[in-house]
Amino acid sequence: ATELASIPFGLRSGCTDSGMGKLMAVGSKIRQDWFRLYAGCMFLLGCQYATNAFPVSFFPAFADDLGFHSMTTGLILAAYPLGISISSQVAPLIIWRIGTRNTCVLGLSVMAPIIACFGFVPDVADGNDARGVLFFLVQFFAGMCGALPETTCFIMIGSKFKEHSGAAMVGANLACTVGAAIGPLLGASFYELPSDEAWQFRLPGLAVAAMPVLLTFAVPCFMANEHLGRDDPADQPETTKKKVTWKQWFDEARLDPFAPMPKEQDLQDIVRWGGDQLGMAARPAGAAANR
């Protein structure tokens, strides 16, 4: 938009061939930036889901050898999506406060060392109770950190590709499913590499932790630091000036946590808004079930 504003009005109106050429160049650059953003978000989502799913292939057998109950193993594997479901509720506020790129970098940089610690839990705890608690906490806090870049990607895709939201979300969901399918394969591959039993369990976590480390440096290459919902006053919801439906308010509140609630709405709008809320809150649980 800044580059387009720098072009004289006569050129923008198509009065000269050079003006049209410059307009086409600006449009091409915008398309390239949006494609880079979309591809980067899909790659990041795939890596996040792979990070979540990597212990599924080897951890249950390892937990059986340690003597864990099946319920304990299930709770440990459920801790990651549980952390996502909690952290994703406050992620939009963090994005507004520090920006999209900073939110991704923060989540990924904290998540990497936590994931790396997963394979060293048996070395720092002796009893099964202590190990079970540490495994749960590692997975839980990794999920809380992982929700920040994941939620940021969904918000960016929803904000930048409104006119093609259906196709954009199909690609995002495809990236998530591919990542969830690759994760167990990565975990099993690195688990089988070492001959030492201790390093068999340590290596998968260290290898998978390399993904958020690399993504921390890659995010600035495709994502700008935008404080979504507060940059342009013209984009702010006007819920205090005119009557809006609950669904409209909820759509705007996803990007603006401080949007005021309308006071007079009919029952149909309230039910529809409640359904949208329930669907958004149930998304992490559905992802956990698929994993």
Side-chain angles (χ1 to χ4, degrees):
T2 303
E3 296 181 27
L4 189 60
S6 65
I7 304 175
F9 179 77
L11 298 184
R12 279 184 280 158
S13 61
C15 294
T16 64
D17 293 338
S18 61
M20 290 300 297
K22 193 168 184 179
L23 271 176
M24 293 178 63
V26 172
S28 176
K29 184 179 184 302
I30 292 174
R31 287 194 297 270
Q32 292 175 6
D33 292 342
W34 281 24
F35 175 79
R36 185 165 61 247
L37 171 65
Y38 185 63
C41 286
M42 287 197 298
F43 183 73
L44 195 154
L45 287 172
C47 290
Q48 290 297 103
Y49 275 69
T51 302
N52 176 21
F54 89 93
V56 174
S57 57
F58 64 89
F59 182 75
F62 184 83
D64 288 340
D65 294 339
L66 291 179
F68 283 175
H69 294 291
S70 299
M71 181 61 69
T72 303
T73 303
L75 287 174
I76 292 171
L77 294 177
Y80 190 101
L82 178 62
I84 291 179
S85 64
I86 294 176
S87 182
S88 61
Q89 306 305 312
V90 298
L93 178 60
I94 298 176
I95 293 169
W96 170 70
R97 290 288 185 181
I98 66 175
T100 52
R101 183 176 60 201
N102 291 340
T103 301
C104 281
V105 171
L106 173 64
L108 293 169
S109 59
V110 178
M111 178 185 178
I114 295 177
I115 291 294
C117 292
F118 183 83
F120 293 91
V121 169
D123 300 325
V124 299
D126 295 330
N128 281 350
D129 292 340
R131 288 174 177 173
V133 171
L134 285 179
F135 275 128
F136 181 88
L137 291 177
V138 167
Q139 287 285 87
F140 178 77
F141 285 113
M144 290 193 70
C145 296
L148 297 182
E150 182 175 334
T151 306
T152 301
C153 287
F154 280 117
I155 289 178
M156 289 292 287
I157 292 174
S159 175
K160 300 298 182 182
F161 303 95
K162 292 180 180 179
E163 296 182 359
H164 306 282
S165 58
M169 292 308 299
V170 166
N173 289 329
L174 178 61
C176 295
T177 55
V178 171
I182 293 177
L185 299 177
L186 288 176
S189 300
F190 287 107
Y191 184 79
E192 297 293 338
L193 282 180
S195 57
D196 182 77
E197 293 184 359
W199 278 102
Q200 274 188 330
F201 191 74
R202 297 170 186 164
L203 185 60
L206 291 173
V208 172
M211 289 195 293
V213 172
L214 296 176
L215 286 171
T216 300
F217 297 98
V219 165
C221 298
F222 64 84
M223 184 180 295
N225 194 48
E226 301 183 35
H227 300 263
L228 292 179
R230 290 284 177 173
D231 284 347
D232 187 358
D235 295 335
Q236 299 307 310
E238 299 180 357
T239 51
T240 58
K241 300 180 181 179
K242 62 181 181 180
K243 179 179 177 180
V244 297
T245 65
W246 279 79
K247 184 178 185 302
Q248 290 172 338
W249 172 82
F250 181 69
D251 290 339
E252 294 169 342
R254 291 177 181 175
L255 301 182
D256 186 359
F258 300 101
M261 297 174 61
K263 297 181 179 180
E264 298 181 3
Q265 304 302 334
D266 57 26
L267 180 61
Q268 182 179 3
D269 289 333
I270 294 176
V271 172
R272 188 184 299 114
W273 175 77
D276 290 339
Q277 273 195 321
L278 180 62
M280 186 176 182
R283 185 191 303 169
N290 289 334
R291 292 163 187 168

